[in-house]
Amino acid sequence: MPTVLSLTDIRDRLNRSKSITVLTGAGISADSGVPTFRGPEGLWKNFRPEELASPEAFARNPKLVWEWYDWRRNLLSTKSPNPAHITLATFEKHVENFWLITQNVDGLHATAGSRKLSEIHGNIWKVRCTACGRISQNHDVPIIYPPTCKSCGGLLRPHIVWFGESLAPEDLDASYTALQTCEILLIIGTSGVVYPAASFAPIAKNQGALVVEVNLDPTPHSSIIDVSFQGRAKDVVPLLLSEG
Ligand code: BJW
Ligand code: ZN
């Protein structure tokens, strides 16, 4: 018979553990009013990923791609971290080895105060020069098109990992180390279909970590998850990470 673990059991394990890795996706920011990608209200319902989130799309029509990011930056400029982001930012201070891996580009974890953080798909408030590669912060809303590099005048692009592009080696290294060494992997609000993040749960599970998921719905990972909590991140995460 498998052991049935309650929310209180998991809360106690999370509070005692010396090594915790967290993987988040769009669902954690949905509670701040940020649209997710998939599902009935998701961004991909109205926009085709290959026309907007690929290097080919940007090469074909940079203005269209920038218009889409401008729209999203405008929306995000009105959003704030919710109790799930804030609880994670506080929690990292109490755990010896903590690492937060986020697929989100909205920057809300950093705004909430998270510092032990890899933004593996980039950050919508950063831009990168297509000519010299310089990365810089850019909070212009709206963006003045075409945005150009202060160093060389080259065209800037969003500093975001698009389909078919590699993730930054330093983010991958930090993520794999965290996954291979954690006692608990907590996965919050991701559909688990985009690689390489889709392979993170099996990596942690195979080295013996307890894998816990918080999501509104079942996901492809649910079969290898040890414990699944169905609910909104903003409600469940503070309960899980509170002291008993
Ligand atoms: C709630 C909630 C609430 C809602 N509370 N929960 C191996 C096999 C097959 C394909 C590939 C492979 N390796 C690489 C690929 C290709 C590709 C890929 O994975 N494609 C798949 C779609 C099949 N991957 C790549 O190209 C990656 N690069 C790479 O691997 O480089 C090496 C390589 C290249 C080429 C070939 C082979 C190797 C890069 C991927 C970058 C993806 N970037 C995006 C778009 C960025 C654009 C932007 O934001 O501007 O990042 S895709 C999009 O999906 C975005 C997200 O970060 C990502 C994940 O989405 P997420 O977070 O899971 O959101 P949703 O909407 O899917 O789910 C939300 C969840 O929340 C749901 O489960 C809800 O139920 C839940 N939820 N409200 C709790 N309140
Ligand atoms: Zn430049």
Side-chain angles (χ1 to χ4, degrees), residues 129 131-134 149 151-154:
C129 177
C132 72
R134 181 174 178 264
C149 175
S151 301
C152 77

Side-chain angles (χ1 to χ4, degrees), residues 60 112 133 165 171 194 236-237:
R60 209 168 36 235
E165 294 187 314
D171 290 334
V194 174
V236 181
V237 173

